[in-house]
């Protein structure tokens, strides 16, 4: 389970790999045994009995301490994350800020306290024909949560990422499955969380991390009876496997799986006339950003046939041809990208518009733009599926009706974007209405990459973008995934949680007899 640099490699150990060179990085990591996973889950169940009772202020101090401890690791963390992911240092510096900022945002949210959604119906003893009892409801934590991070955000969607922050905020202990693409980064962050557990006097077992390269480790977490919910970020295949495993348990549990997405972008005719050239450049920048390894990467663009659409495609083709290959996160992801693009290029009705010059090095992803028709896409939905990496398919529609037909045919995605002038957008209200049923975030005149961590953010969408479209994995609403409502009927005031006491000692917003008050 722990990093033991002095240890010699054996079949149960593995090393981080530098995706730029394919060379192993220092340090060996132990594949967790079934007993170790069980022990972590059982300790989490015991820790829950105490941790669930921590006040919002105590949990807020704890989250802030985790953020401080992560910052205190300093450059070592960024350097290790860079070596394991191939992501550039400025990007990782920003991601560390996002990770600590997320923890501090949840701390602020806990101190404010109203997230528990307190609802009070006061007793009506004289009501006829029956009296009404005193009813008080609030959200309470679910229990230990299993967390799986993705490879493409080694900090912000990993060991101390949004799932961990929101589950700890809700009052749930965590058992994290470290991502095998960045075991050293995971270890540094996991140790920082453990230091915060000790410093804040949180119960032993509030946080544990197990590492491993086999799916058995993750499956053992999901199948353990002590685990009461799962937060997952990663591929559709992985998320679906864990979701199905959770459903097969004697006691099924919720799996909040945030998975892949193609994030369709619709370019309307007038805006292409006015700003087509700049948009083509910006589109390619968005497709190739971070080697296209974002869940919000725009994988499909839809345009109506016109001279302006032709110009857009030509300019986009030139831009992608001039772009540079970049190191991908792992060789496995690079291979999956190459295979996915290979399938697309040989599919009926698809042609290559432009492609960067491949570099002859270890895990490079070569940016590519493909072109197809609305008819081809409508006949073969695989053309709109995520191919994780710097590639995108431009879809040409023969007019408005075909553009709407493509929108109707889409599966669930995290985002959809419409680019249009103020004059033409109202004429496409029907397009927006269709897209609203397909995604969790709708953008006008923007690019979907870049997800704000805030109160109003929604990062989730209908299946297959996520396993539960009612949830978000980014922003403060993420806490709601790990809590459930409990109603206390006719409780003496002294036995109620502070959030529900008559005097409202925490001064939070509450719905009292149908009116919001504080
Ligand atoms: P991944 O391969 O699915 O891995 C995610 C984690 O799940 C790893 O710890 C992996 O461990 C584990 N896992 C995968 N399949 C499993 C199985 N069958 N049983 C048990 N555990 C399993 O994902 P990734 O390639 O790192 O991430 C890239 C993907 O994540 C892209 O599709 C991207 O769009 C998506 N993503 C989505 C969001 C979002 O918020 N929606 C954010 C970022 C990324 P092992 O490798 O040991 O199996």
């Amino acid at each position: 389970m722990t990093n033991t640099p002095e240890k010699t490699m054996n079949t149960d150990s593995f090393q981080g790999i530098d995706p730029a060179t394919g060379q192993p990085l220092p340090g060996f990591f132990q594949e967790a045994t079934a007993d170790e996973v069980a022990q972590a889950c059982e300790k989490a169940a015991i820790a829950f009995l105490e941790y669930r009772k921590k006040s919002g202020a105590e949990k807020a101090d704890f989250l802030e301490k985790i953020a401080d401890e992560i910052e205190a690791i300093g450059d070592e963390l960024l350097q290790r994350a860079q070596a394991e992911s191939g992501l550039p240092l400025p990007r990782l510096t920003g991601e560390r800020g996002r990770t600590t900022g997320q923890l501090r945002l949840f701390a602020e949210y806990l101190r404010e306290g109203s997230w528990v959604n307190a609802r009070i119906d006061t007793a009506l003893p004289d009501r006829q024909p029956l009296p009404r009892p005193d009813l008080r409801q609030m959200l309470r934590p679910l229990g230990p949560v299993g967390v799986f991070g993705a490879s493409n955000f080694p900090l912000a969607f990993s060991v101390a990422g949004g799932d961990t922050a929101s589950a700890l905020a809700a009052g749930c202990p965590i058992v994290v499955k470290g991502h095998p693409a960045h075991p050293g980064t995971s270890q540094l962050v996991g140790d920082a969380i453990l230091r915060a557990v000790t410093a804040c006097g949180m119960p032993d077992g509030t946080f544990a991390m197990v590492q491993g390269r086999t799916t058995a480790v993750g499956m053992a977490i999901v199948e353990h009876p002590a685990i009461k919910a799962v937060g997952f970020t990663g591929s559709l295949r992985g998320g679906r496997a864990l979701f199905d495993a959770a459903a097969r348990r004697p006691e099924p549990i919720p799996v909040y799986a945030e998975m892949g997405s193609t994030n369709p972008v619709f370019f309307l005719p007038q805006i292409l006339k006015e700003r087509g050239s700049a948009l083509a450049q910006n589109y390619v920048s968005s497709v190739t950003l971070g080697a296209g390894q974002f869940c919000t990467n725009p994988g499909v663009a839809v345009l109506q046939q016109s001279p302006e659409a032709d110009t857009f495609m030509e300019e986009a083709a030139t831009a992608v041809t001039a772009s540079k290959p970049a190191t991908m996160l792992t060789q496995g992801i690079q291979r999956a990208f190459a295979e996915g693009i290979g399938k697309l290029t040989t599919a009926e009705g698809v042609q290559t518009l432009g492609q960067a010059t491949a570099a002859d090095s270890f895990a490079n992803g070569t940016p590519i733009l493909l072109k197809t028709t609305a008819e081809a896409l409508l006949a073969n939905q695989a053309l709109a599926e995520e191919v994780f990496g710097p590639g995108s398919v431009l879809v040409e529609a023969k007019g408005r009706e075909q553009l709407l037909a493509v929108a109707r045919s889409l599966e669930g995605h995290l985002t959809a974007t419409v680019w249009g002038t103020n004059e033409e957008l109202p004429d496409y209200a029907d397009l927006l209405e269709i897209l609203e049923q397909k995604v969790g975030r709708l953008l006008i005149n923007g690019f979907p990459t870049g997800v704000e961590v805030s109160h109003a953010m929604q990062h989730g969408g209908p299946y297959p973008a996520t396993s539960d479209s009612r949830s978000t994995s980014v922003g403060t609403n993420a806490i709601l995934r790990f809590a459930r409502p409990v109603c206390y009927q006719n409780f003496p005031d002294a036995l109620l949680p502070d959030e529900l006491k008559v005097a409202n000692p925490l001064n939070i917003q509450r719905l009292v007899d149908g009116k919001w008050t504080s």
Side-chain angles (χ1 to χ4, degrees):
M1 238 194 315
T2 47
N3 178 9
T4 50
E6 72 288 351
K7 189 177 188 311
T8 50
M9 182 105 171
N10 64 47
T11 48
D12 296 333
S13 302
F14 64 99
Q15 287 175 274
I17 301 290
D18 181 341
T21 62
Q23 293 306 307
L25 292 162
F28 291 96
F29 302 88
Q30 279 292 107
E31 179 91 14
T33 63
D35 280 350
E36 284 168 334
V37 174
Q39 206 179 39
C41 296
E42 278 148 27
K43 275 174 82 174
I46 293 166
F48 180 58
L49 302 177
E50 198 184 321
Y51 186 63
R52 65 190 287 279
K53 291 188 275 192
K54 296 290 179 190
S55 69
E58 287 169 317
K59 288 183 290 182
D61 289 345
F62 175 42
L63 294 182
E64 285 169 345
K65 184 67 180 161
I66 295 173
D68 294 345
E69 288 290 344
I70 290 171
E71 281 167 356
I73 306 169
D75 288 348
E76 187 191 354
L77 178 63
L78 300 178
Q79 280 154 7
R80 182 74 196 195
Q82 183 186 34
E84 288 183 329
S85 69
L87 296 170
L89 271 183
R91 146 77 202 268
L92 289 164
T93 308
E95 197 183 319
R96 180 179 59 182
R98 180 190 176 92
T99 309
T100 53
Q102 188 161 253
L103 288 158
R104 293 185 175 118
L105 179 68
F106 274 109
E108 214 177 275
Y109 199 47
L110 288 177
R111 288 209 175 88
E112 194 283 329
S114 305
W115 76 272
V116 297
N117 195 18
R119 291 162 172 257
I120 297 170
D121 299 330
T122 50
L124 298 175
D126 300 327
R127 191 180 68 172
Q128 292 301 326
L130 287 172
R132 181 173 81 183
D134 184 87
L135 297 168
R136 289 163 192 261
Q137 187 206 99
M138 67 177 280
L139 293 172
R140 299 295 295 141
L142 279 185
V145 172
V147 169
F148 294 75
S151 56
N152 60 337
F153 282 91
L155 301 171
F157 280 89
S158 191
V159 177
D163 287 341
T164 295
S166 54
L168 286 176
C172 302
I174 304 287
V175 178
V176 171
K177 155 69 172 50
H179 198 294
H182 51 261
T185 309
S186 298
Q187 191 72 52
L188 287 168
V189 175
D191 289 347
I193 299 177
L194 287 173
R195 286 194 293 277
V197 168
T198 306
C200 296
M202 292 299 165
D204 187 29
T206 301
F207 172 84
M209 183 175 67
V210 288
Q211 301 248 38
R213 276 179 311 178
T214 63
T215 54
V217 174
M219 277 294 170
I221 296 175
V222 173
E223 286 168 355
H224 197 281
I227 297 295
K228 298 301 177 197
V230 173
F232 170 93
T233 308
S235 62
L236 174 59
R237 200 175 50 170
R240 184 65 207 232
L242 297 177
F243 179 87
D244 290 343
R248 282 195 302 269
R249 287 173 35 139
E251 179 201 355
I253 53 168
V255 173
Y256 297 102
E258 302 283 334
M259 304 176 286
S261 178
T262 319
N263 306 295
V265 180
F266 290 77
F267 290 103
L268 302 184
Q270 192 58 37
I271 203 147
L272 284 185
K273 275 192 187 148
E274 292 181 13
R275 300 168 53 184
S277 295
L279 287 179
Q281 300 285 341
N282 294 344
Y283 187 73
V284 171
S285 301
S286 185
V287 169
T288 55
L289 185 72
Q293 300 168 119
F294 288 104
C295 47
T296 48
N297 184 255
V300 168
V302 189
L303 310 89
Q304 294 177 58
Q305 223 173 39
S306 68
E308 291 76 31
D310 291 342
T311 309
F312 177 97
M313 292 199 202
E314 279 160 28
E315 304 232 0
T318 307
V320 84
T321 307
S323 70
K324 297 267 176 290
T327 300
M328 298 194 77
L329 294 154
T330 64
Q331 197 179 30
I333 284 181
Q334 186 240 8
R335 282 199 193 120
F337 176 64
E339 272 166 32
I341 292 296
K343 275 191 198 147
L344 284 176
T345 49
T346 52
E348 177 104 13
V350 177
Q351 67 185 85
T352 301
L353 264 184
Q355 185 169 23
T357 308
D360 186 20
S361 66
F362 189 66
N364 270 321
T366 309
I368 185 167
L369 275 191
L370 305 167
K371 179 187 171 182
T372 193
T373 60
E375 283 100 336
L377 182 86
L378 292 169
N380 179 8
Q381 281 301 313
L383 302 185
E385 283 171 14
E386 183 188 54
V387 177
F388 190 62
S392 190
V393 181
L394 305 187
V395 182
E396 195 173 51
K398 283 191 197 127
R400 193 178 188 283
E401 280 315 307
Q402 244 189 13
L403 178 119
L404 295 179
V406 169
R408 277 191 209 98
S409 76
L410 293 170
E411 294 187 301
H413 292 276
L414 293 169
T415 73
T417 302
V418 178
W419 278 89
T421 63
N422 286 341
E423 291 71 38
E424 69 187 329
L425 279 169
D427 295 336
Y428 284 85
D430 45 1
L431 172 63
L432 293 168
E433 220 170 281
I434 295 165
L435 294 177
E436 193 215 63
Q437 296 166 60
K438 306 283 184 180
V439 303
R441 181 162 58 107
L442 264 177
L443 294 84
I444 299 283
N445 297 347
F447 287 101
T449 35
V451 183
E452 185 72 22
V453 181
S454 66
H455 301 294
M457 178 46 68
Q458 172 60 21
H459 191 62
Y463 187 86
T466 75
S467 55
D468 188 338
S469 62
R470 296 164 298 177
S471 67
T472 177
S473 63
V474 176
T476 46
N477 265 349
I479 197 173
L480 300 176
R481 299 172 300 167
F482 303 119
R484 65 185 177 86
V486 175
C487 178
Y488 303 83
Q489 185 166 332
N490 277 345
F491 260 52
D493 203 52
L495 291 183
L496 283 166
D498 284 351
E499 287 86 346
L500 297 178
K501 285 194 161 84
V502 173
N504 192 9
L506 301 177
N507 198 25
I508 59 173
Q509 282 280 323
R510 310 194 296 184
L511 188 69
V512 181
D513 292 329
K515 292 202 173 59
W516 285 106
T517 58
S518 59

